[in-house]
Amino acid sequence: ILNVEQSPQSLHVQEGDSTNFTCSFPSSNFYALHWYRWETAKSPEALFVMTLNGDEKKKGRISATLNTKEGYSYLYIKGSQPEDSATYLCAFDRDDKIIFGKGTRLHILP
Amino acid sequence: ETGVTQTPRHLVMGMTNKKSLKCEQHLGHNAMYWYKQSAKKPLELMFVYNFKEQTENNSVPSRFSPECPNSSHLFLHLHTLQPEDSALYLCASSQEVAGGPTGELFFGEGSRLTVL
């Protein structure tokens, strides 16, 4: 059984603060690690697709790192804004399927 | 607007009904997917079509029947469903390269299904 674990399950962050959360995945048969943002009543939207150990990617205030040998990825949000409130999903791409975690639900407090 | 359109957005059906969910992508992608989102569970992959060929059937009950007539359209035919099949059904598409990692998934907004 393959598990993709995300922590924490839910997170409340004061507007302006920075935060980060974790995705852990099996370290074998690795093809890629995806991060998605899913806002309420919208469709999940890709943030990053990462393939190489040590990858670091950045999009605006959001960045992610990847460690394929130990099987984890971190997502960082700098200077949280209300529009960052969403569920953040990571997905582990093996050679035959993509497996999603349950997500981290982020609430930005005004 | 992600370029992936799903209809209907909401569907209520009885256990003896037959209905279909439709997905259309305008991105020129060669792979399409059906995912199921149940409460408090991760997104579950149901079916994958690469180049119009079904390459993945994730042990889905036969009361769900996919159809991919061309690379832009994907259907999920539903018949004799159970109340526990009530969920959000998401369609996605991606551009795949043979032997490479799965490309970025582009999702529709989903079809919310309620089975009475």
Side-chain angles (χ1 to χ4, degrees):
Chain A
I1 297 177
L2 293 175
N3 282 326
V4 177
E5 302 289 342
Q6 291 190 246
S7 64
Q9 186 175 346
S10 180
L11 187 57
H12 291 76
V13 174
Q14 201 69 41
E15 182 178 349
D17 287 352
S18 297
T19 187
N20 65 85
F21 26 92
T22 308
C23 173
S24 60
F25 52 88
S27 53
S28 59
N29 295 328
F30 177 87
Y31 263 49
L33 194 285
H34 298 220
W35 280 101
Y36 293 85
R37 175 171 59 201
W38 195 357
E39 296 179 62
T40 303
K42 294 188 177 180
S43 52
E45 175 190 359
L47 291 171
F48 307 111
V49 178
M50 308 171 78
T51 57
L52 298 175
N53 185 43
D55 253 357
E56 291 189 30
K57 293 207 172 182
K58 187 176 180 183
K59 182 184 284 189
R61 294 178 293 99
I62 303 177
S63 61
T65 60
L66 178 67
N67 183 323
T68 60
K69 294 186 178 180
E70 296 181 39
Y72 65 84
S73 175
Y74 292 129
L75 189 80
Y76 300 90
I77 301 178
K78 185 177 178 182
S80 303
Q81 299 297 309
E83 60 265 29
D84 297 329
S85 293
T87 297
Y88 291 82
L89 302 173
C90 75
F92 168 60
D93 181 9
R94 283 183 4 162
D95 56 355
D96 59 351
K97 63 176 65 174
I98 287 188
I99 302 166
F100 278 84
K102 290 185 180 181
T104 292
R105 183 77 179 98
L106 177 63
H107 306 264
I108 305 302
L109 305 172
Chain B
E1 179 60 52
T2 64
V4 180
T5 304
Q6 289 187 241
T7 55
R9 295 290 307 280
H10 299 273
L11 178 62
V12 179
M13 60 187 289
M15 290 190 283
T16 57
N17 290 159
K18 288 184 181 181
K19 297 285 184 183
S20 295
L21 305 181
K22 179 183 175 182
C23 178
E24 183 175 359
Q25 57 100 357
H26 310 276
L27 301 168
H29 289 165
N30 57 15
M32 295 187 77
Y33 310 76
W34 280 116
Y35 279 90
K36 177 183 178 183
Q37 169 79 82
S38 304
K40 299 188 179 180
K41 286 188 176 181
L43 280 173
E44 298 172 65
L45 179 64
M46 299 176 73
F47 301 105
V48 181
Y49 277 83
N50 276 341
F51 304 94
K52 297 187 295 179
E53 298 292 324
Q54 188 182 122
T55 58
E56 183 77 28
N57 177 337
N58 207 24
S59 303
V60 179
S62 60
R63 56 187 185 269
F64 295 91
S65 174
E67 180 190 0
C68 188
N70 55 62
S71 58
S72 299
H73 293 86
L74 185 65
F75 296 89
L76 188 63
H77 303 299
L78 316 168
H79 60 100
T80 59
L81 295 191
Q82 305 297 310
E84 59 264 28
D85 297 322
S86 298
L88 180 69
Y89 290 84
L90 285 166
C91 173
S93 71
S94 68
Q95 184 62 27
E96 295 309 302
V97 175
T102 303
E104 174 183 330
L105 295 173
F106 289 76
F107 285 90
E109 292 184 324
S111 294
R112 173 71 63 184
L113 174 66
T114 303
V115 182
L116 302 176

